[in-house]
Amino acid sequence: MNDHSDGLLIIDHLHKSYCHDNTETEVLKNVTFRVGQGEIVGVVGPSGCGKSTLLHLVAGFDQDYRGDIAFCGQKITCPATERGMVFQSPQLFSWLKIKDNIAFGPKRQHMAKEDISAQTRIFLERVGMLDFLDYYPEQLSGGMQQRVALARALIMKPKLLLMDEPFSALDYQSRLEMQRLTLKLWEEYKPSILLVTHDIEEALLLADRIIVLSKGPGEIIRELSVNFDRPRDLSLIKSLSFHQLKSQILDQLSVLM
Ligand SMILES: Nc1ncnc2c1ncn2[C@@H]1O[C@H](COP(=O)(O)OP(=O)(O)OP(=O)(O)O)[C@@H](O)[C@H]1O
Ligand SMILES: [Mg+2]
């Protein structure tokens, strides 16, 4: 059997250093964990501990590391559409209309024209942006742009979605809306998600497991399961068990300050 249910993504004794002015700085130290099929894993830790670096390595933007990173049983050697990325800023192409931003990936994959058009509409509808398909990014709010960025990643049907502080630039209300939307889309498409966030509530609301990294060089100091029932909705945030788990993680992080 090769369904990767125990590890679609396997990170094994990962070490990463950057060299600057002939000085080597260790950024990630002995990081080992797995992300199963359809699983959501949250990564939290102090600023500068290597969270974005970790996502960049998994995305395949950088192959300079020690240890192993395997996806679907293969070493990661380059970026690929099956590992989609959603960044903190939406990074849409400013010169393309929303529909063309969404269609960009499928066009590069040489999908049939009529399919691209149909899929574009489907995914814009899923994120509540169908009425804006002829707009340009600058005509949308930050939250709306982030919805488009989510649709742009999901239209490629990634097995793994890499999210780097995806909603941190948004106000609280918009962030909650995006978290609810992410839960809804995850229920529908079930991609695995590796979610880097500063927002403990976000990690608890979305993730099945949370990995806590130490101050740089980032080392895993705790891995905890988040066993709240699914499907989840925003009411979970108000529950006692949610608050108890949140304080546990906050205690862990306050030790690192
Ligand atoms: N391209 C690079 N060259 C040299 N050093 C780098 C490079 N990218 C990141 N670093 C260093 O690696 C360390 C980790 O950076 P990284 O961006 O991964 O942290 P982070 O945990 O994502 O922080 P934040 O929470 O603030 O986003 C930092 O000290 C940073 O200066
Ligand atoms: Mg970062």
Side-chain angles (χ1 to χ4, degrees), residues 16-20 25-28 43-56 62 88 164-165 196-198 213-214 216 218:
K16 168 71 186 170
S17 299
Y18 284 114
C19 201
H20 193 63
T25 310
E26 195 175 24
V27 175
L28 289 168
V43 179
V44 299
S47 183
C49 74
K51 303 181 295 296
S52 295
T53 300
L54 175 65
L55 284 198
H56 279 224
D62 180 359
Q88 182 178 5
D164 193 357
E165 315 245 15
V196 162
T197 180
H198 276 116
L213 292 178
S214 67

Side-chain angles (χ1 to χ4, degrees), residues 126-138:
R126 291 290 189 278
V127 298
M129 292 297 294
L130 192 53
D131 290 344
F132 300 90
L133 81 179
D134 281 318
Y135 281 57
Y136 285 94
E138 64 176 14

Side-chain angles (χ1 to χ4, degrees), residues 18 152 162 175 184 187 194 199 211 214 245-246 252:
Y18 284 114
R152 183 179 61 176
L162 303 166
R175 206 152 66 222
K184 187 186 98 173
E187 287 291 343
L194 187 56
D199 183 345
I211 284 164
S214 67
L245 207 46
K246 183 178 167 186
Q252 192 91 50

Side-chain angles (χ1 to χ4, degrees), residues 169-187:
L170 305 179
D171 62 80
Y172 187 66
Q173 180 81 31
S174 310
R175 206 152 66 222
L176 288 177
E177 275 172 27
M178 288 306 293
Q179 289 160 358
R180 183 168 46 194
L181 179 63
T182 305
L183 282 170
K184 187 186 98 173
L185 293 168
W186 178 80
E187 287 291 343

Side-chain angles (χ1 to χ4, degrees), residues 25-38:
T25 310
E26 195 175 24
V27 175
L28 289 168
K29 188 172 174 184
N30 206 21
V31 172
T32 296
F33 71 95
R34 291 170 177 235
V35 181
Q37 191 120 45

Side-chain angles (χ1 to χ4, degrees), residues 10-14 29-34 68 209 211 219-220 223:
I10 299 177
I11 297 181
D12 192 18
H13 295 96
L14 172 68
K29 188 172 174 184
N30 206 21
V31 172
T32 296
F33 71 95
R34 291 170 177 235
D68 289 311
R209 257 182 317 124
I211 284 164
E219 229 179 326
I220 296 180
E223 193 169 334

